[in-house]
Amino acid sequence: MSDSDPIPPGARAQKKEEARTAIADAVIALLVEGRLDLNHDAVAERTGLARRTVYRYFPDRESLLGAGTDRVRQLAGPGVAFPRSEADLTGQLEAIYTGFDKIAPITTLVRSTPQGRAMRKANNKVRVERYRAATADAVKSLPPDDQTLATAMLQVLHTTPWLEMHDHWELSGEQIARATGWAIRTLLADLRARGNRPLDE
């Protein structure tokens, strides 16, 4: 192939994917370094890519930070994802919590630093949509405000306890999955039994 030959479509797609991955990895690296400036300029400097290239793939800060969060989930393993059904609320737990163990230093930063929380917040619209869909049947009889409260609590149990249970109790991902699985099953059973009674009754 000469220098003037066009890049094959497959190679072009691969190059784009490599650039996107490099950008997402740079966001994580900057987080690990404790950098406060998780932005396009810092990522361009870190990757050696042109600033306009970073903007082409991720046109605003929210999408840039979201790419970092997506990459964290990818590094943790294929089972670490937002739920698509009620069954996923318990069925994904071991994959999620053992995946968090696998990348514990990164998970800790994502869960405990302002930059990490900003990364997680960038995916919040999708997060809320997925959890509302996954819990819709379980909470459907509750008053509207309580539907949100119950869904939020189920979401917290699905991913959030790792940091506290890992750090303060020195529990493994498998143990955390068992505990949160019990708690989620208990709440789902309560929701089925309570009908339209408010959560504080």
Side-chain angles (χ1 to χ4, degrees), residues 56-198:
R56 183 185 317 132
Y57 290 111
F58 303 104
D60 53 39
R61 188 168 189 267
E62 185 174 349
S63 62
L64 183 66
L65 296 181
T69 305
D70 291 343
R71 182 65 171 149
V72 168
R73 282 199 298 270
Q74 186 180 31
L75 293 170
V80 181
F82 295 135
R84 295 189 174 274
S85 67
E86 186 177 312
D88 285 347
L89 293 174
T90 52
Q92 293 176 323
L93 290 173
E94 187 165 344
I96 288 171
Y97 287 115
T98 58
F100 288 176
D101 281 355
K102 189 168 74 172
I103 57 165
I106 295 172
T107 306
T108 298
L109 291 171
V110 169
R111 298 271 163 184
S112 63
T113 65
Q115 300 90 331
R117 293 179 64 80
M119 282 173 54
R120 293 187 67 241
K121 186 76 171 172
N123 287 85
N124 207 50
K125 182 178 179 184
V126 175
R127 178 181 293 106
V128 169
E129 288 173 355
R130 291 282 181 83
Y131 281 97
R132 283 196 186 280
T135 62
D137 189 61
V139 305
K140 66 184 178 185
S141 298
L142 293 175
D145 287 348
D146 284 3
Q147 290 181 18
T148 297
L149 296 177
T151 298
M153 179 52 67
L154 289 165
Q155 183 258 307
V156 165
L157 290 169
H158 193 238
T159 59
T160 306
W162 181 86
L163 186 61
E164 293 294 317
M165 297 177 82
H166 177 268
D167 284 1
H168 298 297
W169 292 89
E170 299 181 355
L171 297 177
S172 69
E174 291 91 345
Q175 291 173 309
I176 299 169
R178 284 189 61 208
T180 54
W182 160 71
I184 290 172
R185 288 191 301 274
T186 299
L187 288 184
L188 288 172
D190 175 84
L191 289 168
R192 299 292 185 203
R194 77 171 39 251
N196 61 2
R197 289 185 296 117

